[in-house]
Amino acid sequence: MFTRREFLAGLGAASAIGARRVRAARYDVLIKGGRVIDPGQRLDRVTDVAIQGGRIRAVQPAIAIGEAADVVDASGKLVTPGWIDLHVHVGAPDLTPATLLHDGVTSMVDGGSAGADNIDALVGVARAAPNRVRILLNIARTGVTGPGELKDMAAADVDAARRAIARHREWIVGVKVRLSESVCGDQDLEALRRARQAAGPLPVMLHVGQTFSPLQKILELLEPGDIVTHPYSPPPHTVLDDNGRVLPEVRAARRRGIRFDVGNGRNGHITWPIVDAATRDGFWPDTISSDITGPGRTFRVFDLPTVVSKFLMLGMPLDQAMASVTTHAAAAVRAFKDLGTLRPGAPADVAILELKNGEFEFVDNVDAKRTGRVKLATTAVVMNGKRM
Ligand SMILES: [Zn+2]
């Protein structure tokens, strides 16, 4: 039998051990020994990342594994800030934000799936998502529709859009407009003017490619911070002049703060000859986005790591490719300004990826095949300091 005194002494010792263990787990998660690429800090080296309380706490070598409750072995892997996909479509039931989280996409922007009439349902999807979803409101009240949401320009209702933005300020981060002739006929400039009017200080993301008007006319209407998606679209009206060089107006737009975003998608948005000519002329994208939908999951798009791998195949440097889905993408959306970095204090969103070597086939929007030597695949994700 214990005496009461011995019993209490024993309890005291046990709780002291418990307290020591709590103190020892200084970090919730430790990502150990990976090649950390954080372009915003010009960081590319093998080191450790320590996370506590949902925030990055330290990026330094040789943090003891005993200091963390959960250790992720990242040796041989890339460790980057959580990826941001600036152009997705997650409104439909066939593609949820959670699916994209497995790809390393910790934050995303829905690019105009919904308009003023059906925005509430999409806000519900964003609210329920395990990752961060923000929304570009389609200037058309219906959002994207198969036949073309701006066939009747009455759908581009500036007041209705403004009311929707006011109602969902936390979720709507800008306005989307699709300008292809198949969507809005010869009314592209008017559609863009209305989108700009509705957006006010927020950015407009405009979908270009096969427009009625030449790109130069469209670019004239933009404000710094606006985002041109699908810049590698095939004709008519590409980013190239008749000699296959990038239009001076496109370069001038970039200089005054217009961003150019890939938006891979399935149809009409990217073909190898256009992207070859543009990148040969030094015109790389600011951000790489997937424009993924449910059907895109198994056709031509697949996932954001695949789309980024295409640009590695095309010769984009690895750090620049990583910047295009982290720090550059974060800079495009005010709500994401603290994201896309592993700087201590930042929200702890981290992607851990394998850079596989081999022969990998990639297709453009007309199924032309190219073979790349490397391919990215996500192996682990930390979202808000928790391993998913
Ligand atoms: Zn889209």
Side-chain angles (χ1 to χ4, degrees):
M1 281 296 280
F2 293 112
T3 63
R4 181 177 159 77
R5 191 187 167 85
E6 282 168 331
F7 181 72
L8 288 175
L11 271 185
S15 62
I17 290 166
R20 256 203 309 280
R21 197 175 283 145
V22 168
R23 268 202 306 276
R26 189 172 158 198
Y27 300 119
D28 301 330
V29 181
L30 173 62
I31 303 166
K32 191 86 189 126
R35 177 182 169 189
V36 176
I37 303 183
D38 183 4
Q41 299 191 78
R42 297 180 180 281
L43 185 70
D44 182 354
R45 78 170 84 99
V46 173
T47 189
D48 301 341
V49 178
I51 292 163
Q52 190 272 324
R55 302 260 162 190
I56 305 288
R57 294 301 172 191
V59 178
Q60 64 191 56
I63 300 173
I65 55 172
E67 298 242 52
D70 181 16
V71 178
V72 182
D73 177 10
S75 44
K77 305 282 198 314
L78 304 185
V79 177
T80 73
W83 283 20
I84 299 167
D85 194 335
L86 215 51
H87 185 169
V88 302
H89 294 279
V90 289
D94 60 353
L95 184 64
T96 66
T99 302
L100 303 183
L101 184 55
H102 296 289
D103 302 337
V105 176
T106 49
S107 302
M108 69 194 76
V109 178
D110 183 280
S113 300
D117 290 350
N118 49 6
I119 189 64
D120 293 4
L122 186 56
V123 168
V125 169
R127 233 184 251 284
N131 32 7
R132 244 175 248 99
V133 181
R134 294 294 182 274
I135 297 165
L136 295 167
L137 180 80
N138 201 310
I139 188 61
R141 300 184 69 125
T142 57
V144 170
T145 63
E149 60 272 16
L150 294 173
K151 279 284 192 300
D152 176 0
M153 278 297 288
D157 185 331
V158 173
D159 290 336
R162 281 183 174 158
R163 283 194 300 273
I165 293 168
R167 206 164 69 241
H168 296 298
R169 238 168 239 299
E170 196 188 331
W171 303 98
I172 298 175
V173 295
V175 173
K176 174 77 184 290
V177 61
R178 296 205 301 160
L179 299 180
S180 298
E181 195 169 358
S182 63
V183 178
C184 60
D186 60 2
Q187 294 294 300
D188 49 6
L189 300 180
E190 179 57 19
L192 178 53
R193 276 187 206 105
R194 292 191 198 182
R196 256 275 98 263
Q197 223 184 331
L202 298 175
V204 170
M205 178 186 272
L206 52 148
H207 153 142
V208 300
Q210 305 94 48
T211 50
F212 173 80
S213 303
L215 191 55
Q216 298 94 312
K217 287 272 169 223
I218 290 167
L219 294 174
E220 280 174 13
L221 300 178
L222 301 184
E223 296 288 338
D226 287 345
I227 304 161
V228 178
T229 193
H230 316 313
Y232 303 112
S233 291
H237 299 321
T238 72
V239 291
L240 305 172
D241 66 15
D242 294 341
N243 302 313
R245 303 297 300 267
V246 172
L247 291 163
E249 291 86 349
V250 168
R251 295 190 188 282
R254 173 170 272 175
R255 277 197 301 275
R256 67 186 182 92
I258 311 301
R259 301 173 195 279
F260 292 86
D261 169 67
V262 170
N264 189 104
R266 285 172 297 152
N267 295 300
H269 300 333
I270 183 168
T271 58
W272 302 134
I274 302 293
V275 71
D276 279 344
T279 57
R280 218 171 20 236
D281 207 11
F283 187 73
W284 292 97
D286 296 301
T287 53
I288 300 179
S289 67
S290 64
D291 189 15
I292 196 160
T293 56
R297 208 64 198 157
T298 51
F299 185 61
R300 293 182 180 166
V301 186
F302 305 103
D303 52 49
L304 189 57
T306 299
V307 179
V308 173
S309 301
K310 291 181 189 182
F311 281 83
L312 296 177
M313 173 183 72
L314 292 161
M316 194 176 196
L318 181 63
D319 63 334
Q320 201 182 332
M322 294 302 107
S324 76
V325 289
T326 60
T327 185
H328 291 172
V333 175
R334 198 193 294 198
F336 291 169
K337 70 176 169 40
D338 297 334
L339 306 177
T341 178
L342 298 174
R343 200 169 283 122
D349 295 353
V350 188
I352 298 151
L353 303 118
E354 191 180 351
L355 189 61
K356 296 191 210 168
N357 291 294
E359 296 206 338
F360 306 97
E361 195 172 85
F362 298 102
V363 295
D364 65 4
N365 280 182
V366 293
D367 282 334
K369 293 179 175 54
R370 290 258 175 112
T371 304
R373 305 274 165 220
V374 293
K375 188 173 183 185
L376 290 159
T378 309
T379 61
V381 183
V382 174
M383 171 84 210
N384 273 331
K386 292 194 179 59
R387 187 174 358 182
M388 296 315 234

